[in-house]
Amino acid sequence: MALTARPRQLVCMDTRDPAPHLGDVPAADFRAAMHRAADLVADYLEHVGDYPVLPRVKPGEVRASLPASPPEHAEPLERILEDYRRLIEPNVTHWNHPGFMAYFGITGSGPGILGETLAAGLNVNAMLWRTGPAPTELEEVATDWLRQLVGLPDGFVGHINDTASISSFVALATARHRVPGLDIRTKGLAGRADVPPLVVYCSEQAHSSIDKAVIALGLGHENLRKISTDDAFRMDVAALEAAITADRVAGRLPIAVVATAGTTSTTSVDPLPAIAAVARREKLWLHVDAAYAGSAAVCAEYRTLMAGWERADSIVVNPHKWMFTPVDCSVLFVRDPEELRAAFSLVPEYLRTPETGVTNLMDYGIQLGRRFRSLKLWMVIRGFGAEGIRERIRLHCA
């Protein structure tokens, strides 16, 4: 079966394989290899603590152990898996190791790995509802389950990206788009004397992805204001207000504030209620980066740390950081998804389909091709349950 695009519809056409021997690997070989891979993964998760967190390998050693040229002829899957076991598995940095303390714990899990495997088998591109009905609707369900788990109010809608870097980029691009009177989507920024410098504010402890977003969006790194912090590494709200006032006096145009709930360096949480009040008064987009610590909000006793995030325009939470979902799975929650759609939707003729009233995930971000990430999130939530997730996060905090 071949999927062929035609104007305004998708048509499935039967084709005959002119060379059956040039198809995929034999089903029996694949089945045996998948069983072997299941054993490899289960053994790895059971014994990952036996490895050193950092492999005892020098730069260039892995590459030197691999052939410089691709094989001319097919190799047995079993041999490839043995080379994986010998050359690859021992020589990774083991993010799933219980002793891994750098950055954040990836915390992959069995249910998530099952979901990732099944998603690879389906090989779906859920850009349109028509190209992925179940993936599209499952994403809506799984992200709403996550919204309920972390206690965000009705009205927030989730959209899955690969990482928080892209989620924050999408949020700030939307903030840039909605600046009234500038029509940046159509006219852009280059060469325009009528557009003042657009300014974004964040804590000096904010993640570097915010810097990269400002650079990539053409705002200019010098227009990212790094606001000072207090003795607990939280944004100084008085300094934020002063910076906004100074920029307005200088003729610059503030457009967004990024607050952090769980910084990478210290897990500090900015004073979200006070920042939200400033953002609302100044009519600025408020984006909350809770990529790391947002998962803790599944526990009522830690949810109080996030008080005020419900007043944000957008929030990012990464289940792949502390909710047992394998990399990558970043959920961007937005208060008004139509603002994302207005910033990003572009539908050429070859992407038009007859359905109405459906979600086309491609409309809500920069990506057209989209992996079936919601499957592993859905399986993780079901595989552990809300209480199981809460108990594990409480154990980690203890």
Side-chain angles (χ1 to χ4, degrees):
M1 301 291 285
L3 191 65
T4 304
R6 290 182 178 175
R8 311 189 74 85
Q9 62 181 343
L10 292 173
V11 180
C12 288
M13 299 178 61
D14 288 324
T15 61
R16 294 189 179 187
D17 186 351
H21 65 287
L22 295 181
D24 207 337
V25 297
D29 293 353
F30 174 69
R31 188 182 305 277
M34 283 293 286
H35 283 293
R36 173 65 175 141
D39 288 337
L40 285 170
V41 173
D43 289 345
Y44 175 72
L45 294 178
E46 186 176 6
H47 300 292
V48 63
D50 296 339
Y51 281 116
V53 176
L54 292 173
R56 298 189 178 99
V57 62
K58 296 178 181 178
E61 283 188 7
V62 173
R63 180 168 184 165
S65 68
L66 300 170
S69 302
E72 185 65 28
H73 301 289
E75 299 184 54
L77 296 178
E78 181 62 29
R79 183 190 304 167
I80 299 170
L81 289 175
E82 285 303 319
D83 282 348
Y84 158 83
R85 178 67 181 81
R86 180 174 59 89
L87 300 174
I88 307 303
E89 182 181 298
N91 293 318
V92 302
T93 297
H94 298 281
W95 287 65
N96 263 342
H97 196 291
F100 184 92
M101 300 295 177
Y103 306 112
F104 49 84
I106 288 294
T107 63
S109 66
I113 293 168
L114 285 173
E116 191 77 274
T117 303
L118 295 171
L122 292 172
N123 198 31
V124 172
N125 183 350
M127 53 188 182
L128 300 161
W129 180 90
R130 170 55 61 192
T131 65
T136 298
E137 296 181 19
L138 187 66
E139 180 162 329
E140 293 174 315
V141 170
T143 56
D144 194 64
W145 283 7
L146 179 62
R147 176 195 64 79
Q148 295 174 56
L149 284 172
V150 299
L152 285 173
D154 289 339
F156 276 97
V157 175
H159 181 75
I160 298 180
N161 296 297
D162 53 1
T163 62
S165 296
I166 295 301
S167 290
S168 294
F169 175 90
V170 167
L172 291 176
T174 306
R176 182 189 65 172
H177 169 76
R178 78 165 189 173
V179 177
L182 298 185
D183 194 15
I184 288 176
R185 172 173 167 140
T186 301
K187 297 179 180 179
L189 291 172
R192 292 183 63 181
D194 63 320
V195 179
L198 307 180
V199 186
V200 174
Y201 304 84
C202 68
S203 154
E204 62 187 8
Q205 297 292 316
H207 193 270
S208 60
S209 60
I210 306 304
D211 300 65
K212 286 193 173 185
V214 167
I215 293 168
L217 288 167
L219 305 182
H221 202 202
E222 67 180 18
N223 293 312
L224 177 63
R225 298 283 176 269
K226 297 290 188 76
I227 305 301
S228 60
T229 57
D230 61 18
D231 57 3
F233 306 106
R234 300 170 300 193
M235 185 189 293
D236 183 330
V237 179
L240 170 65
E241 293 176 297
I244 294 170
T245 298
D247 281 324
R248 292 200 189 280
V249 169
R252 293 181 282 267
L253 181 57
I255 65 169
V257 180
V258 179
T260 305
T263 62
T264 302
S265 297
T266 64
T267 70
S268 63
V269 178
D270 288 335
L272 302 179
I275 294 172
V278 172
R280 179 166 298 182
R281 184 181 71 239
E282 298 289 341
K283 297 181 171 57
L284 306 181
W285 183 282
L286 175 58
H287 176 60
V288 174
D289 180 356
Y292 181 7
S295 296
V298 301
C299 302
E301 65 270 31
Y302 301 131
R303 191 175 300 161
T304 57
L305 295 171
M306 311 298 168
W309 72 341
E310 72 282 354
R311 298 167 65 183
D313 297 286
S314 57
I315 303 165
V316 58
V317 177
N318 282 5
H320 72 229
K321 286 182 177 170
W322 201 4
M323 203 175 282
F324 319 119
T325 306
V327 169
D328 49 27
C329 184
S330 174
V331 179
L332 177 65
F333 289 106
V334 290
R335 181 180 298 281
D336 184 358
E338 284 305 306
E339 293 190 311
L340 262 67
R341 195 171 183 277
F344 288 103
S345 181
L346 181 68
V347 188
E349 188 66 24
Y350 52 80
L351 291 175
R352 297 185 186 277
T353 59
E355 293 79 22
T356 59
V358 297
T359 296
N360 292 318
L361 294 171
M362 68 174 189
D363 288 338
Y364 300 92
I366 196 68
Q367 298 178 35
L368 177 59
R370 303 187 80 259
R371 294 176 56 227
F372 191 2
R373 294 184 178 93
S374 60
L375 185 60
K376 57 188 173 183
L377 177 59
W378 178 66
M379 293 183 75
V380 164
I381 295 173
R382 293 188 65 185
F384 293 110
E387 185 56 32
I389 294 171
R390 286 192 287 265
E391 288 175 346
R392 284 165 174 80
I393 286 180
R394 285 175 178 136
L395 176 64
H396 294 174
C397 290

